[in-house]
Amino acid sequence: LLPSAVPVEAPKKPKNKKKAKRGPAEIIEFEDFEKISLKAGTVLSAEPHPDADKLLVLTVDIGEERPRTIVAGIKSRFSADELVGRKVVVVANLAPRKMRGVMSEGMLLAAGAKSVVDLVGVNADPGEVVR
């Protein structure tokens, strides 16, 4: 075969993005950080996800006209009952994403590399900017 006729195999992508190894965090410019909208929120309700063992479905007030639905993989650390009333930090401008059939409209900030240690919280009214 001629060199140009040799089939070239495409690089394999990890099937599950979450299992891909993460290296050191890339240095970003301040302008990149400014793109992230972090807001204080209060958890109004929480319940187990109907189709997932590790997920909770939360209703969170972040100072908008209506509360947001946020699906979070924190069930291994928190029960639904202990989250109600908790003040949290929410990534408010993350694109909505369906998680096991439920639309999630943000993300909670949490500590912990391999498992959730705690949620990042702030003693502020819902909607207050976090920076």
Side-chain angles (χ1 to χ4, degrees):
L1 292 175
L2 297 173
S4 61
V6 175
V8 177
E9 216 175 285
K12 292 183 180 179
K13 294 181 183 177
K15 289 181 182 178
N16 186 344
K17 292 178 184 177
K18 291 182 182 178
K19 294 192 179 194
K21 290 186 179 183
R22 294 183 184 185
E26 179 183 336
I27 301 296
I28 63 171
E29 297 297 325
F30 184 74
E31 292 78 19
D32 294 322
F33 176 74
E34 286 185 308
K35 293 176 186 176
I36 302 169
S37 174
L38 301 175
K39 296 212 175 165
T42 301
V43 178
L44 303 176
S45 68
E47 59 188 47
H49 190 292
D51 295 324
D53 294 337
K54 298 178 182 181
L55 301 176
L56 291 174
V57 180
L58 311 172
T59 303
V60 182
D61 176 7
I62 64 166
E64 297 175 334
E65 187 175 313
R66 69 168 184 81
R68 300 247 191 134
T69 299
I70 297 177
V71 179
I74 57 174
K75 192 174 177 184
S76 64
R77 173 63 178 84
F78 298 99
S79 70
D81 291 340
E82 66 186 305
L83 291 171
V84 176
R86 184 150 179 167
K87 293 184 179 246
V88 294
V89 176
V90 174
V91 180
N93 63 334
L94 191 63
R97 177 178 167 195
K98 205 172 255 194
M99 296 180 70
R100 302 290 298 262
V102 176
M103 189 61 74
S104 184
E105 303 169 305
M107 182 193 323
L108 303 183
L109 290 188
K114 294 185 180 192
S115 61
V116 176
V117 175
D118 203 357
L119 293 175
V120 176
V122 60
N123 190 14
D125 292 334
E128 196 67 49
V129 173
V130 178
R131 46 190 167 129

